Amino acid sequence: MPRYSTGGAPGGHSYSQKPTMNGDCKTENGVLKNGCVRNGVCPEDRCLGNGVLYKRPFNEVFEETPMLVAVLTYMGYGILTLFGYLRDFLRACKIEKCHHATEREEQKDFVPLYQDFENFYTRNLYMRIRDNWNRPVCSVPGERVDVLERFSDDYNWTFKFTGRIIKGVINMGSYNYLGFARNSGFFNDASANVLRQYGGGVCSTRQEMGNLDIHEELECLVARFLGVEAAMIYGMGFATNSMNIPALAGKGCLILSDELNHASLVLGARLSGATIRIFKHNNMQSLEKLLRDAIVHGQPRTHRPWKKIIILVEGIYSMEGSIVRLPEVISLKKKYKAYLYLDEAHSIGALGPNGRGVVDYFGLDSRDVDIMMGTFTKSFGGAGGYIGGSKILIDYLRKHSHSTAYATSMSPPVAEQIITTMKCIMGEDGTTLGRERVEQLAENTRYFRRRLTEMGFIIYGNSDSPVVPLMLYMPAKIGAFGREMLKRNIGVVVVGFPATPIIESRARFCVSAAHTKEMLDQALSKISEVGDLLQLKYSRHHFVPLLDRPFDETTYEETED
């Protein structure tokens, strides 16, 4: 699917490389000037206050899939599917042995717990490349890791260990954005001291006997870090979304969710019982149409006004590497009096001059975001999540959130890990280490993305996003890329259907501040080598917008001279 997005244009539009001027508004080199939007128009509802909508260049690239590659990808899945049916026939005839889970013979007359066809993809496609996932790591998951070597003698149904350890694998897959995942230094010592004082676990909920002073300290620190009135922490990042959204929305409420939102947001929205409507990824025209329709038509059948409308978006989308168009989202939510729920799982710590996430990145006021959610599992090297906002909101969640009432409190050593790393980022530890790491991550990200583009790979996402998807497309190349990179001592994450669209399989790199230039150069050299081996350098530097978006009214095109 062809995609391109750059500048400050809404709805995924791009601008031509040639400078154009429309009255007082102009675009130059793909950067929106003077707060202008499509065709140089700057309506009041797309500006924040008296300023411009974007205070910095906003560049995102989604290069179109070459037609030949798309055709071959569909053919590859078609052939695999045909052979899958053939192998299922052989298994049914007892000619080929099948190792997948089946109902016990004595239960054959019972209603099955699951439909056998649902495992068709797992049996016949995923099993062929299963060795690329769940590799056991036996070291700190930092910039380098040690991996246990394993093999399979039954076509990846089961694995056995060789006893050998693959040492010093460059880790290009973990969300260790600021390099705080380590087992030495001040952070490790502080957590060890807390472990001796409080123990490893709390064995109770916050509402009972599990509310520690260290939890209160962390919540105050998070609130200061985010610039909000109050914050609340949780022991699990996934549950922060899935268990809190139902406390904020219910029957008679409307949730507008980006089509690429994380599974935790999707689950939370479904559990809430609210009506859910999906808008195109980062497409402000699509979002505004849904908002307008919601205001005009109200609830189905009764046409009563919605009790509340909540917009769900992420800071960085972990599979696309794109950054939310937050200034435009805030403008729309103010115009239509909606609430905004921002998931900063990947952006907190990794974006902004102060490492305070996508709000800091755009230079916005955190008070314009009603519910600020994030996790400690990535940039902070810990575990769990948080929600920040007004004191009224947090007091309400303390009483009504299932995560508060039923989930065990955060482990004290983990809380201390987060406190020390957050203070380091804020500069409250008396050093400049935190700011240096934030700056180093930004530098590494730009360097890594630029080099991959120069090599001829198709990469997705924003130029400032440390999540870097490299497109593989064909199913056979998913497994081949992961194996070849591990042979060269580079650990990568490969992703395919159903986690991505069937035609958009990819390798996902996560850049870290802990990566030195030598590490990145070594990784880039091996990526280029494998790219030549597997013929992955598809880029033609031809960018077009998402033509399948029904809300796009104007098409722009960029070609190289």
Side-chain angles (χ1 to χ4, degrees):
M1 285 183 261
R3 286 188 277 187
Y4 180 69
S5 171
T6 188
H13 293 304
S14 63
Y15 287 87
S16 134
Q17 286 279 36
K18 297 179 180 180
T20 61
M21 295 187 64
N22 296 290
D24 294 332
C25 301
K26 61 181 180 179
T27 61
E28 184 174 356
N29 297 328
V31 179
L32 192 62
K33 301 295 183 183
N34 298 328
C36 306
V37 292
R38 181 162 45 94
N39 295 333
V41 180
C42 186
E44 292 182 0
D45 61 348
R46 292 200 181 276
C47 292
L48 298 175
N50 296 320
V52 297
L53 202 60
Y54 286 86
K55 300 177 182 178
R56 57 179 299 148
F58 186 80
N59 302 300
E60 290 195 347
V61 174
F62 297 92
E63 185 173 342
E64 66 171 339
T65 305
M67 180 61 69
L68 178 60
V69 174
V71 171
L72 292 175
T73 301
Y74 281 121
M75 286 179 59
Y77 277 106
I79 293 170
L80 285 172
T81 301
L82 289 175
F83 272 90
Y85 279 115
L86 174 61
R87 295 187 70 181
D88 276 357
F89 174 76
L90 296 176
R91 290 163 186 154
C93 297
K94 309 297 183 183
I95 297 174
E96 179 180 338
K97 185 178 180 181
C98 184
H99 300 272
H100 75 277
T102 57
E103 298 287 351
R104 290 179 292 181
E105 189 65 25
E106 57 267 29
Q107 290 184 315
K108 63 181 180 180
D109 295 328
F110 285 58
V111 177
L113 290 173
Y114 57 87
Q115 295 296 321
D116 187 60
F117 183 77
E118 292 176 1
N119 285 330
F120 179 86
Y121 180 86
T122 302
R123 289 193 307 271
N124 298 299
L125 285 83
Y126 168 74
M127 201 58 62
R128 295 171 180 264
I129 55 177
R130 182 170 170 241
D131 56 302
N132 284 279
W133 293 280
N134 306 314
R135 289 175 177 143
V137 173
C138 55
S139 68
V140 175
E143 61 276 15
R144 289 186 183 270
V145 294
D146 297 337
V147 180
L148 287 176
E149 188 179 62
R150 61 181 182 175
F151 73 98
S152 176
D153 53 13
D154 55 5
Y155 304 102
N156 289 344
W157 288 101
T158 61
F159 294 99
K160 299 176 181 177
F161 295 110
T162 65
R164 176 175 172 263
I165 297 177
I166 306 174
K167 295 279 190 178
V169 175
I170 296 179
N171 183 3
M172 298 299 301
S174 291
Y175 308 130
N176 183 27
Y177 297 128
L178 295 181
F180 287 125
R182 52 190 306 177
N183 61 354
S184 61
F186 170 74
F187 313 102
N188 182 71
D189 296 339
S191 296
N193 292 334
V194 169
L195 177 63
R196 282 189 287 269
Q197 180 181 354
Y198 291 92
V202 180
C203 304
S204 184
T205 68
R206 293 288 297 276
Q207 291 187 350
E208 295 170 327
M209 297 296 292
N211 190 32
L212 305 180
D213 57 345
I214 196 171
H215 295 144
E216 301 279 354
E217 179 186 355
L218 177 55
E219 287 179 344
C220 292
L221 183 63
V222 170
R224 282 198 295 114
F225 184 69
L226 299 175
V228 296
E229 291 181 3
M232 189 166 187
I233 61 170
Y234 302 90
M236 181 182 179
F238 190 97
T240 305
N241 277 332
S242 60
M243 293 292 101
N244 280 295
I245 294 176
L248 297 170
K251 189 175 181 181
C253 299
L254 176 64
I255 292 177
L256 303 180
S257 178
D258 190 290
E259 65 179 343
L260 296 183
N261 275 342
H262 189 262
S264 59
L265 289 168
V266 174
L267 178 60
R270 289 176 176 172
L271 290 175
S272 71
T275 300
I276 306 170
R277 290 176 184 163
I278 309 301
F279 62 91
K280 291 285 186 179
H281 174 56
N282 247 355
N283 188 316
M284 296 302 106
Q285 292 168 298
S286 174
L287 174 59
E288 184 167 17
K289 184 177 186 303
L290 291 179
L291 284 166
R292 189 185 303 115
D293 289 346
I295 299 297
V296 172
H297 301 296
Q299 299 185 41
R301 294 188 297 277
T302 64
H303 299 293
R304 294 176 180 172
W306 295 99
K307 293 180 180 178
K308 67 181 80 166
I309 300 174
I310 302 177
I311 303 170
L312 299 187
V313 294
E314 295 185 46
I316 293 178
Y317 290 84
S318 60
M319 212 53 84
E320 299 291 306
S322 60
I323 297 175
V324 65
R325 295 179 175 275
L326 191 59
E328 294 176 60
V329 175
I330 290 177
S331 179
L332 288 176
K333 84 104 180 177
K334 287 182 175 180
K335 177 179 179 181
Y336 293 98
K337 304 299 186 291
Y339 293 99
L340 176 58
Y341 187 111
L342 174 63
D343 178 345
E344 291 217 75
H346 287 268
S347 55
I348 193 67
L351 282 182
N354 303 299
R356 302 189 183 189
V358 69
V359 176
D360 183 32
Y361 175 78
F362 286 112
L364 303 174
D365 189 341
S366 57
R367 290 173 295 183
D368 288 333
V369 180
D370 302 286
I371 305 104
M372 300 186 70
M373 177 271 172
T375 63
F376 304 119
T377 56
K378 300 168 179 67
S379 294
F380 302 97
Y386 66 82
I387 283 185
S390 66
K391 188 176 185 303
I392 295 175
L393 168 71
I394 300 305
D395 288 344
Y396 173 83
L397 290 177
R398 289 188 195 279
K399 298 175 183 177
H400 295 87
S401 170
H402 286 76
S403 285
T404 306
Y406 303 110
T408 302
S409 303
M410 180 182 288
S411 172
V414 172
E416 181 62 23
Q417 163 75 13
I418 300 163
I419 289 172
T420 53
T421 53
M422 190 171 290
K423 285 183 176 180
C424 179
I425 297 171
M426 298 170 72
E428 294 185 3
D429 63 341
T431 71
T432 59
L433 177 62
R435 177 172 289 274
E436 290 170 2
R437 292 199 178 197
V438 171
E439 293 172 353
Q440 186 64 52
L441 174 62
E443 183 179 331
N444 286 353
T445 295
R446 289 189 290 269
Y447 176 72
F448 190 74
R449 281 183 166 273
R450 177 173 57 80
R451 287 290 308 278
L452 287 177
T453 302
E454 291 171 352
M455 291 176 183
F457 293 103
I458 293 180
I459 61 172
Y460 277 4
N462 193 285
S463 57
D464 291 324
S465 170
V467 178
V468 187
L470 184 151
M471 304 311 294
L472 304 175
Y473 299 113
M474 301 181 194
K477 295 186 179 182
I478 301 173
F481 186 82
R483 296 180 192 120
E484 291 297 327
M485 291 303 295
L486 186 61
K487 286 180 184 177
R488 293 161 175 78
N489 248 38
I490 311 293
V492 302
V493 172
V494 288
V495 191
F497 180 82
T500 67
I502 195 167
I503 198 177
E504 294 185 7
S505 301
R506 64 198 66 179
R508 183 184 64 183
F509 302 102
C510 292
V511 182
S512 171
H515 289 138
T516 63
K517 187 174 183 298
E518 290 72 24
M519 288 181 188
L520 292 179
D521 285 339
Q522 182 181 346
L524 287 164
S525 173
K526 300 303 180 184
I527 292 169
S528 179
E529 183 181 321
V530 175
D532 291 331
L533 177 66
L534 302 180
Q535 298 182 4
L536 296 173
K537 298 179 179 180
Y538 303 117
S539 180
R540 298 175 298 174
H541 301 292
H542 179 212
F543 309 120
V544 297
L546 258 179
L547 300 180
D548 61 334
R549 289 181 177 176
F551 303 96
D552 286 350
E553 300 173 355
T554 309
T555 299
Y556 300 87
E557 183 171 323
E558 170 187 320
T559 56
E560 281 197 333
D561 294 334

